[in-house]
Short mmCIF file of all heavy atoms in Angstrom, two decimals:
data_model
loop_
_atom_site.label_atom_id
_atom_site.label_comp_id
_atom_site.label_asym_id
_atom_site.label_seq_id
_atom_site.Cartn_x
_atom_site.Cartn_y
_atom_site.Cartn_z
N GLY U 13 94.22 -31.69 -92.38
CA GLY U 13 95.13 -30.49 -92.28
C GLY U 13 94.51 -29.40 -91.37
O GLY U 13 95.19 -28.41 -91.11
N ASP U 14 93.27 -29.53 -90.95
CA ASP U 14 92.60 -28.49 -90.09
C ASP U 14 93.27 -28.48 -88.70
O ASP U 14 93.74 -29.49 -88.15
CB ASP U 14 91.11 -28.81 -89.92
CG ASP U 14 90.27 -28.25 -91.08
OD1 ASP U 14 90.82 -27.40 -91.77
OD2 ASP U 14 89.15 -28.71 -91.24
N THR U 15 93.39 -27.29 -88.19
CA THR U 15 93.68 -27.11 -86.78
C THR U 15 92.59 -26.22 -86.21
O THR U 15 91.85 -25.57 -86.95
CB THR U 15 95.04 -26.41 -86.57
OG1 THR U 15 94.98 -25.08 -87.07
CG2 THR U 15 96.19 -27.15 -87.24
N PHE U 16 92.47 -26.18 -84.91
CA PHE U 16 91.41 -25.35 -84.27
C PHE U 16 91.70 -23.82 -84.64
O PHE U 16 90.77 -23.07 -84.80
CB PHE U 16 91.37 -25.46 -82.77
CG PHE U 16 90.68 -26.78 -82.31
CD1 PHE U 16 90.73 -27.15 -80.97
CD2 PHE U 16 90.03 -27.53 -83.25
CE1 PHE U 16 90.10 -28.34 -80.59
CE2 PHE U 16 89.38 -28.74 -82.85
CZ PHE U 16 89.43 -29.12 -81.53
N LEU U 17 92.97 -23.49 -84.72
CA LEU U 17 93.29 -22.10 -85.13
C LEU U 17 92.85 -21.82 -86.52
O LEU U 17 92.31 -20.73 -86.84
CB LEU U 17 94.74 -21.86 -84.93
CG LEU U 17 95.25 -20.39 -85.25
CD1 LEU U 17 94.55 -19.41 -84.32
CD2 LEU U 17 96.77 -20.28 -85.10
N SER U 18 93.14 -22.73 -87.48
CA SER U 18 92.76 -22.46 -88.86
C SER U 18 91.25 -22.53 -89.06
O SER U 18 90.72 -21.78 -89.88
CB SER U 18 93.44 -23.54 -89.78
OG SER U 18 92.87 -24.84 -89.56
N ILE U 19 90.62 -23.36 -88.26
CA ILE U 19 89.13 -23.34 -88.31
C ILE U 19 88.52 -22.05 -87.82
O ILE U 19 87.65 -21.44 -88.47
CB ILE U 19 88.55 -24.52 -87.47
CG1 ILE U 19 88.93 -25.90 -88.10
CG2 ILE U 19 87.01 -24.47 -87.38
CD1 ILE U 19 88.64 -27.06 -87.20
N ALA U 20 89.10 -21.51 -86.76
CA ALA U 20 88.59 -20.27 -86.14
C ALA U 20 88.89 -19.10 -87.03
O ALA U 20 88.03 -18.28 -87.32
CB ALA U 20 89.18 -20.12 -84.79
N ASN U 21 90.15 -19.00 -87.51
CA ASN U 21 90.61 -17.76 -88.20
C ASN U 21 90.45 -17.82 -89.75
O ASN U 21 90.28 -16.85 -90.35
CB ASN U 21 92.08 -17.44 -87.89
CG ASN U 21 92.17 -16.84 -86.52
OD1 ASN U 21 91.20 -16.78 -85.74
ND2 ASN U 21 93.42 -16.41 -86.16
N SER U 22 90.55 -19.04 -90.36
CA SER U 22 90.43 -19.15 -91.72
C SER U 22 88.99 -19.44 -92.21
O SER U 22 88.37 -18.73 -92.90
CB SER U 22 91.40 -20.22 -92.27
OG SER U 22 91.29 -20.33 -93.69
N THR U 23 88.49 -20.64 -91.69
CA THR U 23 87.11 -21.03 -92.12
C THR U 23 86.09 -20.04 -91.58
O THR U 23 85.21 -19.57 -92.33
CB THR U 23 86.83 -22.44 -91.63
OG1 THR U 23 87.83 -23.34 -92.06
CG2 THR U 23 85.48 -22.92 -92.06
N PHE U 24 86.14 -19.73 -90.26
CA PHE U 24 85.17 -18.90 -89.64
C PHE U 24 85.56 -17.45 -89.51
O PHE U 24 84.89 -16.62 -88.97
CB PHE U 24 84.69 -19.48 -88.31
CG PHE U 24 83.91 -20.69 -88.39
CD1 PHE U 24 84.52 -21.93 -88.35
CD2 PHE U 24 82.50 -20.60 -88.60
CE1 PHE U 24 83.75 -23.10 -88.46
CE2 PHE U 24 81.77 -21.83 -88.70
CZ PHE U 24 82.39 -23.02 -88.62
N GLN U 25 86.74 -17.13 -90.08
CA GLN U 25 87.29 -15.76 -90.21
C GLN U 25 87.36 -14.97 -88.89
O GLN U 25 87.46 -13.72 -88.85
CB GLN U 25 86.41 -15.01 -91.19
CG GLN U 25 86.37 -15.71 -92.58
CD GLN U 25 85.47 -14.96 -93.52
OE1 GLN U 25 84.96 -13.90 -93.25
NE2 GLN U 25 85.20 -15.54 -94.65
N GLY U 26 87.36 -15.67 -87.76
CA GLY U 26 87.40 -14.92 -86.43
C GLY U 26 86.12 -14.85 -85.69
O GLY U 26 86.03 -14.32 -84.59
N LEU U 27 85.02 -15.49 -86.27
CA LEU U 27 83.81 -15.52 -85.53
C LEU U 27 83.81 -16.48 -84.38
O LEU U 27 82.91 -16.46 -83.55
CB LEU U 27 82.69 -15.91 -86.53
CG LEU U 27 82.22 -14.85 -87.55
CD1 LEU U 27 81.20 -15.45 -88.50
CD2 LEU U 27 81.61 -13.68 -86.80
N SER U 28 84.85 -17.30 -84.30
CA SER U 28 85.09 -18.16 -83.13
C SER U 28 86.58 -18.04 -82.85
O SER U 28 87.32 -17.42 -83.59
CB SER U 28 84.61 -19.56 -83.40
OG SER U 28 84.67 -20.34 -82.18
N THR U 29 87.00 -18.75 -81.78
CA THR U 29 88.42 -18.73 -81.46
C THR U 29 88.84 -20.18 -81.21
O THR U 29 87.96 -21.04 -80.89
CB THR U 29 88.74 -17.90 -80.20
OG1 THR U 29 88.07 -18.42 -79.06
CG2 THR U 29 88.28 -16.46 -80.40
N CYS U 30 90.17 -20.41 -81.30
CA CYS U 30 90.63 -21.82 -81.09
C CYS U 30 90.34 -22.24 -79.64
O CYS U 30 90.01 -23.39 -79.38
CB CYS U 30 92.16 -21.93 -81.38
SG CYS U 30 93.16 -20.71 -80.60
N GLN U 31 90.43 -21.29 -78.70
CA GLN U 31 90.14 -21.64 -77.30
C GLN U 31 88.68 -22.00 -77.13
O GLN U 31 88.37 -22.98 -76.39
CB GLN U 31 90.54 -20.44 -76.39
CG GLN U 31 92.00 -20.03 -76.44
CD GLN U 31 92.20 -18.86 -77.44
OE1 GLN U 31 91.53 -18.76 -78.37
NE2 GLN U 31 93.21 -18.08 -77.06
N ALA U 32 87.77 -21.23 -77.73
CA ALA U 32 86.36 -21.45 -77.60
C ALA U 32 86.01 -22.84 -78.21
O ALA U 32 85.18 -23.58 -77.63
CB ALA U 32 85.53 -20.37 -78.23
N ILE U 33 86.56 -23.16 -79.37
CA ILE U 33 86.27 -24.44 -80.03
C ILE U 33 86.75 -25.61 -79.13
O ILE U 33 86.07 -26.61 -78.93
CB ILE U 33 86.92 -24.48 -81.44
CG1 ILE U 33 86.29 -23.46 -82.35
CG2 ILE U 33 86.79 -25.86 -82.00
CD1 ILE U 33 86.98 -23.32 -83.69
N GLY U 34 87.98 -25.42 -78.59
CA GLY U 34 88.50 -26.51 -77.73
C GLY U 34 87.68 -26.66 -76.48
O GLY U 34 87.42 -27.76 -76.09
N ASN U 35 87.24 -25.54 -75.90
CA ASN U 35 86.44 -25.57 -74.73
C ASN U 35 85.08 -26.23 -74.96
O ASN U 35 84.51 -26.98 -74.20
CB ASN U 35 86.32 -24.12 -74.16
CG ASN U 35 85.48 -24.09 -72.82
OD1 ASN U 35 85.99 -24.58 -71.86
ND2 ASN U 35 84.23 -23.57 -72.89
N GLN U 36 84.50 -25.88 -76.16
CA GLN U 36 83.15 -26.39 -76.47
C GLN U 36 83.19 -27.90 -76.70
O GLN U 36 82.22 -28.61 -76.49
CB GLN U 36 82.61 -25.70 -77.74
CG GLN U 36 81.20 -26.07 -78.16
CD GLN U 36 80.13 -25.32 -77.45
OE1 GLN U 36 80.41 -24.59 -76.47
NE2 GLN U 36 78.93 -25.54 -77.88
N ASN U 37 84.36 -28.36 -77.19
CA ASN U 37 84.50 -29.78 -77.47
C ASN U 37 85.32 -30.52 -76.40
O ASN U 37 86.22 -31.25 -76.69
CB ASN U 37 85.13 -29.94 -78.85
CG ASN U 37 84.22 -29.47 -79.93
OD1 ASN U 37 83.33 -30.16 -80.39
ND2 ASN U 37 84.38 -28.27 -80.40
N ASN U 38 85.05 -30.10 -75.15
CA ASN U 38 85.59 -30.78 -73.95
C ASN U 38 87.07 -30.66 -73.86
O ASN U 38 87.80 -31.61 -73.53
CB ASN U 38 85.17 -32.27 -73.93
CG ASN U 38 83.64 -32.42 -73.98
OD1 ASN U 38 82.98 -32.00 -72.99
ND2 ASN U 38 83.17 -33.00 -75.02
N ASN U 39 87.59 -29.48 -74.27
CA ASN U 39 89.02 -29.15 -74.16
C ASN U 39 89.91 -30.07 -74.94
O ASN U 39 91.06 -30.37 -74.55
CB ASN U 39 89.44 -29.10 -72.68
CG ASN U 39 88.93 -27.87 -71.99
OD1 ASN U 39 88.96 -26.76 -72.54
ND2 ASN U 39 88.43 -28.02 -70.80
N LEU U 40 89.35 -30.60 -76.01
CA LEU U 40 90.17 -31.45 -76.89
C LEU U 40 91.11 -30.53 -77.73
O LEU U 40 90.87 -29.39 -77.88
CB LEU U 40 89.31 -32.32 -77.83
CG LEU U 40 88.44 -33.33 -77.19
CD1 LEU U 40 87.57 -33.99 -78.28
CD2 LEU U 40 89.28 -34.45 -76.51
N THR U 41 92.17 -31.22 -78.24
CA THR U 41 93.00 -30.46 -79.25
C THR U 41 92.78 -31.12 -80.55
O THR U 41 92.28 -32.21 -80.66
CB THR U 41 94.53 -30.56 -78.82
OG1 THR U 41 94.85 -31.91 -78.81
CG2 THR U 41 94.73 -29.97 -77.43
N THR U 42 93.17 -30.40 -81.65
CA THR U 42 92.87 -30.92 -82.91
C THR U 42 93.62 -32.29 -83.15
O THR U 42 93.11 -33.09 -83.92
CB THR U 42 93.43 -29.95 -84.04
OG1 THR U 42 93.12 -28.59 -83.60
CG2 THR U 42 92.86 -30.26 -85.38
N SER U 43 94.71 -32.50 -82.49
CA SER U 43 95.42 -33.76 -82.66
C SER U 43 94.63 -34.96 -82.12
O SER U 43 94.92 -36.09 -82.50
CB SER U 43 96.77 -33.72 -81.94
OG SER U 43 96.57 -33.45 -80.51
N LEU U 44 93.61 -34.69 -81.29
CA LEU U 44 92.76 -35.77 -80.74
C LEU U 44 91.48 -35.91 -81.50
O LEU U 44 90.64 -36.71 -81.12
CB LEU U 44 92.46 -35.44 -79.30
CG LEU U 44 93.71 -35.42 -78.33
CD1 LEU U 44 93.27 -35.07 -76.94
CD2 LEU U 44 94.44 -36.79 -78.34
N VAL U 45 91.28 -35.12 -82.56
CA VAL U 45 90.05 -35.17 -83.31
C VAL U 45 90.35 -35.66 -84.73
O VAL U 45 91.28 -35.11 -85.36
CB VAL U 45 89.38 -33.75 -83.40
CG1 VAL U 45 88.10 -33.84 -84.20
CG2 VAL U 45 89.11 -33.23 -82.00
N TYR U 46 89.69 -36.70 -85.19
CA TYR U 46 90.00 -37.29 -86.46
C TYR U 46 89.29 -36.57 -87.63
O TYR U 46 88.23 -35.91 -87.49
CB TYR U 46 89.53 -38.79 -86.49
CG TYR U 46 90.26 -39.60 -85.48
CD1 TYR U 46 89.71 -39.84 -84.22
CD2 TYR U 46 91.52 -40.21 -85.77
CE1 TYR U 46 90.41 -40.63 -83.29
CE2 TYR U 46 92.20 -40.95 -84.86
CZ TYR U 46 91.59 -41.16 -83.58
OH TYR U 46 92.25 -41.91 -82.67
N THR U 47 89.88 -36.69 -88.79
CA THR U 47 89.32 -36.12 -90.01
C THR U 47 87.91 -36.77 -90.22
O THR U 47 87.79 -37.99 -90.07
CB THR U 47 90.17 -36.41 -91.25
OG1 THR U 47 91.46 -35.78 -91.07
CG2 THR U 47 89.54 -35.93 -92.49
N GLY U 48 86.94 -35.93 -90.50
CA GLY U 48 85.58 -36.44 -90.69
C GLY U 48 84.72 -36.30 -89.42
O GLY U 48 83.55 -36.53 -89.45
N THR U 49 85.36 -35.92 -88.29
CA THR U 49 84.66 -35.76 -87.07
C THR U 49 83.85 -34.45 -87.11
O THR U 49 84.40 -33.42 -87.53
CB THR U 49 85.60 -35.71 -85.85
OG1 THR U 49 86.37 -36.91 -85.78
CG2 THR U 49 84.83 -35.55 -84.56
N ARG U 50 82.66 -34.47 -86.64
CA ARG U 50 81.88 -33.21 -86.57
C ARG U 50 82.01 -32.63 -85.22
O ARG U 50 81.82 -33.31 -84.18
CB ARG U 50 80.38 -33.53 -86.79
CG ARG U 50 79.49 -32.30 -86.92
CD ARG U 50 78.05 -32.66 -87.15
NE ARG U 50 77.92 -33.25 -88.45
CZ ARG U 50 77.62 -32.51 -89.55
NH1 ARG U 50 77.54 -31.22 -89.47
NH2 ARG U 50 77.49 -33.10 -90.69
N ILE U 51 82.45 -31.35 -85.18
CA ILE U 51 82.66 -30.66 -83.87
C ILE U 51 81.67 -29.53 -83.79
O ILE U 51 81.10 -29.04 -84.76
CB ILE U 51 84.11 -30.17 -83.77
CG1 ILE U 51 84.44 -29.14 -84.85
CG2 ILE U 51 85.15 -31.29 -83.78
CD1 ILE U 51 85.72 -28.41 -84.68
N SER U 52 81.49 -29.11 -82.50
CA SER U 52 80.67 -27.90 -82.27
C SER U 52 81.53 -26.61 -82.34
O SER U 52 82.67 -26.65 -81.84
CB SER U 52 79.99 -27.96 -80.88
OG SER U 52 79.10 -29.12 -80.84
N VAL U 53 81.00 -25.56 -82.94
CA VAL U 53 81.69 -24.31 -82.98
C VAL U 53 80.82 -23.20 -82.52
O VAL U 53 79.77 -22.90 -82.99
CB VAL U 53 82.08 -23.98 -84.46
CG1 VAL U 53 82.83 -22.67 -84.59
CG2 VAL U 53 82.98 -25.13 -85.07
N PRO U 54 81.24 -22.61 -81.34
CA PRO U 54 80.48 -21.48 -80.83
C PRO U 54 80.87 -20.19 -81.48
O PRO U 54 82.08 -19.84 -81.61
CB PRO U 54 80.92 -21.45 -79.29
CG PRO U 54 82.34 -22.06 -79.34
CD PRO U 54 82.39 -23.02 -80.50
N LEU U 55 79.89 -19.52 -82.01
CA LEU U 55 80.09 -18.21 -82.70
C LEU U 55 79.88 -17.06 -81.81
O LEU U 55 78.93 -17.08 -80.95
CB LEU U 55 79.18 -18.12 -83.92
CG LEU U 55 79.25 -19.31 -84.90
CD1 LEU U 55 78.19 -19.12 -86.01
CD2 LEU U 55 80.61 -19.42 -85.51
N ARG U 56 80.65 -16.00 -81.95
CA ARG U 56 80.64 -14.87 -80.99
C ARG U 56 79.53 -13.91 -81.36
O ARG U 56 79.45 -13.34 -82.41
CB ARG U 56 81.99 -14.14 -81.12
CG ARG U 56 83.21 -14.92 -80.66
CD ARG U 56 84.52 -14.16 -80.86
NE ARG U 56 84.58 -12.99 -80.09
CZ ARG U 56 85.02 -13.05 -78.79
NH1 ARG U 56 85.41 -14.24 -78.28
NH2 ARG U 56 85.13 -11.96 -78.08
N CYS U 57 78.59 -13.81 -80.37
CA CYS U 57 77.50 -12.89 -80.56
C CYS U 57 77.17 -12.36 -79.17
O CYS U 57 77.66 -12.88 -78.15
CB CYS U 57 76.29 -13.57 -81.15
SG CYS U 57 75.65 -14.96 -80.18
N ALA U 58 76.21 -11.44 -79.09
CA ALA U 58 75.89 -10.81 -77.76
C ALA U 58 74.54 -10.18 -77.90
O ALA U 58 74.10 -9.79 -78.96
CB ALA U 58 76.92 -9.91 -77.26
N CYS U 59 73.93 -10.03 -76.72
CA CYS U 59 72.60 -9.25 -76.63
C CYS U 59 72.90 -7.96 -75.88
O CYS U 59 73.76 -7.87 -75.00
CB CYS U 59 71.57 -10.11 -75.87
SG CYS U 59 71.19 -11.66 -76.70
#
């Protein structure tokens, strides 16, 4: 039931974005990622 938007806004509470997650995972969409797949999540930080 996960979507990139729910992962970004619900699980990570806005520390990432659906666009950033898709971009980090080679512009895939959630529909192309299977349950149980481990994805990379870039978290927003800066120096």
Side-chain angles (χ1 to χ4, degrees):
D14 277 341
T15 65
F16 284 170
L17 182 60
S18 69
I19 294 169
N21 283 6
S22 179
T23 304
F24 290 92
Q25 303 178 8
L27 286 174
S28 190
T29 65
C30 53
Q31 299 96 328
I33 295 174
N35 184 68
Q36 182 84 351
N37 294 277
N38 304 296
N39 287 318
L40 293 175
T41 61
T42 318
S43 60
L44 298 177
V45 182
Y46 296 95
T47 299
T49 302
R50 185 179 295 272
I51 62 170
S52 298
V53 179
L55 304 176
R56 297 176 67 84
C57 63
C59 299

